[in-house]
Amino acid sequence: MTGRCLFRDLMMGGASATALLAASSALAQSDGAPAAATAQAEEQASSAEEPEIVIRGVRGSLLRSIQAKRDADTIVDAISAEELGKFPNRNVAEALANIPGVTVGRDGRGEGRDITIRGLGENFAITTLNGRILPTDGSDRSFAFDVLPSEIISGAQVQKAVRASELEGSIGGNVDLRTARPLDRPGFHLSAAIEGQYNDLVEKGGYKISGVVSTTFANNTMGILIGASYNKYKFRTDNLGEYSITDGTEAGYGVDFDGDGQVNPDENGPAFIWPDYYSVGYVRGERERIGSAAAFQWKPSSNFELTIDGLYSRYEVTQHNYRSSNYLNPLGDDGSLRWDPASIETDTSHVVTNFAIDDLVSEVLTTDEPRKSQTWQLGGHIDWRATDRLKFGLDGYFGKARDNTGGQNRFVVAGIPGASAEFAARPGGIPDLAITIPGGRSLDQATNDDFRAHYIGIQGQNIEDETKGAKLDATYELGGAFKSISLGGAWTDREKTVATIDNQYTTSCNYCGYPFTFGQLDADVVRPGSGNGILGKLGGDFPRNFPMFDIDTYLAALPRADNNPAILDPNSCLDATGAPIPGCSLSPYPAGYSTQLIEPDLPASYRIKERTWAGYLQINLAGERWRGDIGARLVSTKVSSTGYGATIASIIPRAGTQDNDVNFNPVDAINGGGDYTRLLPAVNFAYDITDGLRVRLAASQAISRPTFGELSPAKDANSAQSGTYIIYDAGNPNLKPTEADQLDISLEYYPSNRLALTLAGFYKHITNFVSNVPVDVLITPSAQPANQQQSFPFVEYQVVNGDAADVYGVELGGQYFLDNGFGVQANLTYNRSRAKSGDVTTDLPGAIPFSANAKLFYERNGIGAQVSYSYQSRYVYAQSGNLGYLPVKEDPYHEMSASLSYDVTDNVSVYVQGSNLLGSDIRRFNTYRDVPNFYEYSGRSFFIGVRGRL
């Protein structure tokens, strides 16, 4: 029996059992009162016995979250604002991390940005706002939570099991964010706060101002709410920004890697691993975020309610990345050995751990990486009870997100030829790289007379995402065990456009080869380093303080080389094939040569249109101590995709460098797309074993759609210009959705309002898993000169529907309130997964095997204090990095935060908070501990503020 057949039998068995229970309950109940009403009465009675429930503060937030979980029709977890305009955490993503099974991914600048649910990455979840799909400012589907100020969010639910009536598209979970509603709290309410911010890596801090006002009128039948937040602050991050690796055999490179005194002639001998590029540095920048939300409600009677709400966010980031970057390949451009043979050492895993290198070009690079994001959404919702038994829900929305930074990202490099270095691996840390520049000097002593102009990359993307949708739900109440029947339909239309603008095919390599120093231009470009001890947390001998340059100053100096008889173009005596022209004398660069030409880069651009129709039928059931639903959702999706590609005409090496002059054939549009229809059944069942003990069961089939980048047919081989033969963006418009059979069980214990314990287990069998698989391809340029190499081995990262994956796990959570003002909340999650991609089998990328969160708090006599701790175990970050057979793993991460507040009066409080108090960092490595992949440290952050409310 196949897994899908077994799953179908389980679904049918669950449906049969639910129907039998419904029939028996219908015979046993004469009045047909639904169990939900009984449960509600019991909860109200419990509340009467426990009058200590508070509205404000952490305790009130946790109580509302548990109540939302108890009232839900399926397996969900929730978080709630502590009061109007005060979310539990500073960042929405980090607040969601308090939920069992949810872990947060950080953006590299100290903020949570995306989430993983039950071991499945952000692309397996959908994020909605008030039930509507949010547009995103990135190139994929995943929502970047950093664009939303937490002050405009009043709550969030993570739906972990599926109902037929709910929006499809998530396997990991559906995150629904909720903005506040004025009729939720009738009357006039006002909340405002101002705070200062500081980070121990930054000389200057920042500030935030926020406020929410809400009022109701017309006998509380109408209400308006408006919230806004403004935040501006500086940041810094120290990092190992790039550590790319490569491998090769002794026969292929002619190098005695293992030091046995001879070169192994076997082309299929063991492959040795070494660093190709090694780049360390720091990022410095500033963020500015403006967010607002508004809502209008009209409820003239209990039978009709209209809600109109909107959201707007503007998020701008200016950041500069300064790095010391070094190309460490053992062979020079002419094939000569750059490593000292006597210095080469390897370990038992064939990893090169030591070498000394001559003929090194010590590079320093600067990048400008702006982000200019705008997101907005407007929606309306009507709830109408047409009769005592029939009610309707109608919802419609329109939203748009954009990030307009095309041609504004800049990657500029200068280098010092003739340097040397000594490399030594440092297991668990960053390898030593002691650099010496000509004259026996250290790198930080370099000046304008040492640094030479090189690569100038200017690019960026204009991204626009437009979402719109509508849905109609109808529910007819039947009474008895067959409580009601629900049916409805939904329509969504989404268009994602990514337009890349750059100079990759025009002027990016005009000065490749380090043709002149800034001193020769009589230009003052190079500045002393201001890294202030880069990566001070780590031991080792690597560049910690090196010269830097401002990109505008760099570019402003280049026109001094135009028509300058003292500066000669080294390529002016090469013909189109790269061969020297006999008798030619070098000439200066022509007038205007320094002007950077920015143009659309079609091979890196695409447009994806996706339209979905869905309809569902769901039967809602209830008995004396149980309730459930059984239904199916029919989903039809059509995708049309337009991308662009250009084949390679020629690849000609640039003299004296590892770079190439790459010419492409004309760009052609590549159109594609497809459609698919899926029937997605779902069954949910809950049974109250006792008044405070409930068990839930759920079974469903779910889908998760490919990302937009994966659907793009574009192909980009531009990396060949830098001598790196990799084809990126090899998408596939014919991808099918990833599918999953899901089983869930949950046990919930609520003996009182003081104590709540939950235990959940889940299993997911995933098929059509989308993988990014490196494939070796041999490319022969169509117009390659006869005197040049005719074919080139490339690695093409192809996106395919891959093999199956299995994910299962257990979640445990609890909270307890003491009479003395103390309380505790804690949860832990265990995930187990296996996924296969090509010949590599690992845990599912992004699936964190073990995670835990704990919060200890105190609230009494106007004092509020809490300490929170979270832990994420080591996990597989990617199944393949630079080498397809070496998965990338990330080390455990610890996070601790704390806050202390005091109510000066009933309406005014002061507070202080701190995050990342343990000074945690992010470390990734390529399977072996002495082969790093990435390192990042963003410092500790502190906040102090005052908050008022009416």
Side-chain angles (χ1 to χ4, degrees), residues 631-643:
R633 189 176 186 89
L634 183 65
V635 180
S636 178
T637 300
K638 184 176 182 179
V639 176
S640 62
S641 174
T642 300

Side-chain angles (χ1 to χ4, degrees), residues 848-866:
I848 298 174
F850 180 79
S851 60
N853 298 280
K855 178 184 293 184
L856 177 66
F857 61 90
Y858 174 83
E859 287 182 328
R860 176 161 286 194
N861 301 322
I863 298 174
Q866 61 177 298

Side-chain angles (χ1 to χ4, degrees), residues 408-731:
Q408 298 177 45
N409 289 10
R410 303 186 293 182
F411 182 100
V412 179
V413 182
I416 305 175
S420 61
E422 294 183 0
F423 172 90
R426 188 177 284 265
I430 293 180
D432 292 341
L433 187 69
I435 299 174
T436 303
I437 64 174
R441 296 169 294 155
S442 59
L443 180 59
D444 61 350
Q445 296 176 308
T447 67
N448 289 297
D449 293 325
D450 297 298
F451 279 105
R452 294 173 171 267
H454 186 48
Y455 182 79
I456 304 168
I458 302 177
Q459 56 92 32
Q461 295 177 323
N462 291 333
I463 300 174
E464 185 169 290
D465 188 13
E466 183 179 286
T467 59
K468 49 190 173 184
K471 66 175 181 175
L472 175 65
D473 301 294
T475 300
Y476 186 77
E477 296 177 1
L478 300 170
F482 288 90
K483 179 183 176 183
S484 63
I485 183 170
S486 300
L487 69 158
W491 165 80
T492 59
D493 193 307
R494 190 168 189 176
E495 182 173 342
K496 174 85 74 169
T497 302
V498 176
T500 302
I501 302 173
D502 58 36
N503 70 339
Q504 297 300 310
Y505 303 98
T506 55
T507 57
S508 62
C509 229
N510 272 8
Y511 300 103
C512 287
Y514 320 97
F516 52 80
T517 69
F518 297 114
Q520 289 176 276
L521 297 179
D522 194 25
D524 187 15
V525 173
V526 178
R527 301 284 185 270
S530 59
N532 298 329
I534 296 168
L535 300 169
K537 285 169 54 68
L538 299 178
D541 184 8
F542 50 82
R544 294 184 185 272
N545 191 17
F546 47 83
M548 53 179 284
F549 58 84
D550 172 77
I551 293 179
D552 289 331
T553 305
Y554 184 118
L555 297 180
L558 296 179
R560 301 187 183 200
D562 294 354
N563 258 343
N564 186 340
I567 307 294
L568 302 180
D569 178 3
N571 296 311
S572 59
C573 283
L574 300 178
D575 63 20
T577 71
I581 300 174
C584 176
S585 298
L586 295 179
S587 59
Y589 293 101
Y593 187 82
S594 60
T595 302
Q596 297 300 307
L597 302 179
I598 315 299
E599 63 182 21
D601 183 353
L602 292 179
S605 305
Y606 57 84
R607 183 177 70 254
I608 311 292
K609 294 183 178 180
E610 182 179 82
R611 180 170 294 178
T612 297
W613 293 90
Y616 74 90
L617 176 66
Q618 178 175 293
I619 300 173
N620 306 302
L621 307 161
E624 183 178 357
R625 305 187 66 86
W626 65 274
R627 57 180 172 171
D629 60 71
I630 178 171
R633 189 176 186 89
L634 183 65
V635 180
S636 178
T637 300
K638 184 176 182 179
V639 176
S640 62
S641 174
T642 300
Y644 305 87
T647 58
I648 297 176
S650 63
I651 300 177
I652 302 173
R654 292 181 181 271
T657 76
Q658 71 268 14
D659 304 310
N660 298 307
D661 181 11
V662 182
N663 295 300
F664 293 85
N665 293 309
V667 174
D668 292 322
I670 305 173
N671 296 307
D675 56 78
Y676 51 86
T677 301
R678 296 290 186 273
L679 182 65
L680 307 174
V683 175
N684 292 272
F685 175 74
Y687 181 75
D688 291 333
I689 301 172
T690 67
D691 288 346
L693 182 62
R694 176 177 298 167
V695 63
R696 296 182 190 264
L697 301 171
S700 63
Q701 290 181 342
I703 63 171
S704 182
R705 295 182 173 89
T707 69
F708 292 107
E710 291 168 343
L711 290 170
S712 166
K715 291 188 178 184
D716 185 4
N718 185 64
S719 65
Q721 290 191 114
S722 62
T724 306
Y725 298 112
I726 298 177
I727 297 175
Y728 296 102
D729 303 322

Side-chain angles (χ1 to χ4, degrees), residues 17 156 250 322 443 458 590 693 745 769 819-820 839 861 905 929:
E250 290 191 344
Y322 306 97
L443 180 59
I458 302 177
L693 182 62
I745 182 171
F769 186 69
D819 291 332
N820 58 8
D839 296 329
N861 301 322
T905 69
R929 296 295 303 172

Side-chain angles (χ1 to χ4, degrees), residues 639 674 676 706-707 710-711 731-737 770-771 799-801:
V639 176
Y676 51 86
T707 69
E710 291 168 343
L711 290 170
N732 181 357
N734 296 309
L735 285 173
K736 301 303 180 185
V770 177
S771 302
V799 182
V800 298
N801 284 114

